[in-house]
Amino acid sequence: LLGYWGVAAWETLVPGMPRARSLAGQLNGLGALPIAPRGTLHWGTALAAASARVLKGLLPAATAPTVAAIDALVVESSRPVLRPGVLGVGVLGRSQAFGRAVADAVLAWAVADGYAVVNGCPYVPSGMPGAWQPTPPAHQPNPLQPCWGELRTFVIDDGADCAPVDPPAFDVFPDSDFHLAAQEVYDV
């Protein structure tokens, strides 16, 4: 969620930074994004509008207080723009519209990452020694997000591009590398 918000924030602000470069074409599946409209933009207002749209889009079950806090962010960002003699309603509307357009493009990109398919995928404990199994105190029936390895990555093509070293082989003996590593985690 934070990654998508970060991309939306960057893409909302990048037109206002002359030497900055868009992430379009650099992140997996991220195509062309909206072009900033002509005229003055208030970047803080554009960012607030994009942030609100992305956060509400990615958190559809957010509580009413959370949604109210997100909306307050947009209202607060508008105050400097509407002060008499500052920028005005045209800048406000243009800035908010641009932020929302960028957010909509990022949300459309997010939909294609596979989350809707793999979120909460079923997992059947195998019962094999060393395989995941429910643990106290809650004895949750499933591990948290066991299929997230199937999500589209932002940059690398495959987890093999940065594969971790193999963990020690499962072993129940107290002097084994596996047991010592598990004990260290438990102790810490």
Side-chain angles (χ1 to χ4, degrees):
L1 299 177
L2 290 176
Y4 288 117
W5 172 81
V7 170
W10 176 257
E11 292 300 329
T12 299
L13 299 175
V14 78
M17 299 181 285
R19 293 193 307 250
R21 186 171 167 209
S22 172
L23 298 171
Q26 296 185 72
L27 300 182
N28 291 332
L30 183 62
L33 292 154
I35 296 171
R38 291 184 176 267
T40 302
L41 291 176
H42 183 261
W43 298 109
T45 296
L47 176 59
S51 295
R53 184 79 136 229
V54 167
L55 292 173
K56 287 193 222 176
L58 294 173
L59 300 168
T63 64
T66 298
V67 172
I70 292 169
D71 290 339
L73 170 73
V74 176
V75 170
E76 192 60 33
S77 75
S78 305
R79 291 177 202 262
V81 181
L82 295 176
R83 262 190 244 129
V86 179
L87 296 171
V89 176
V91 172
L92 177 69
R94 203 169 29 254
S95 301
Q96 289 178 337
F98 177 62
R100 287 190 302 264
V102 171
D104 289 343
V106 170
L107 287 169
W109 172 58
V111 166
D113 72 358
Y115 177 81
V117 176
V118 303
N119 182 38
C121 71
Y123 177 83
V124 178
S126 71
M128 301 276 302
W132 183 91
Q133 57 184 309
T135 56
H139 293 283
Q140 294 297 321
N142 285 305
L144 181 63
Q145 303 297 0
C147 299
W148 272 27
E150 298 172 32
L151 292 174
R152 176 194 63 213
T153 59
F154 275 28
V155 180
I156 63 173
D157 292 324
D158 183 303
D161 292 346
C162 60
V165 297
D166 289 335
F170 176 76
D171 194 327
V172 296
F173 293 105
D175 291 336
S176 69
D177 289 342
F178 179 86
H179 190 274
L180 293 171
Q183 188 66 48
E184 180 184 358
V185 170
Y186 179 80
D187 292 342
V188 170

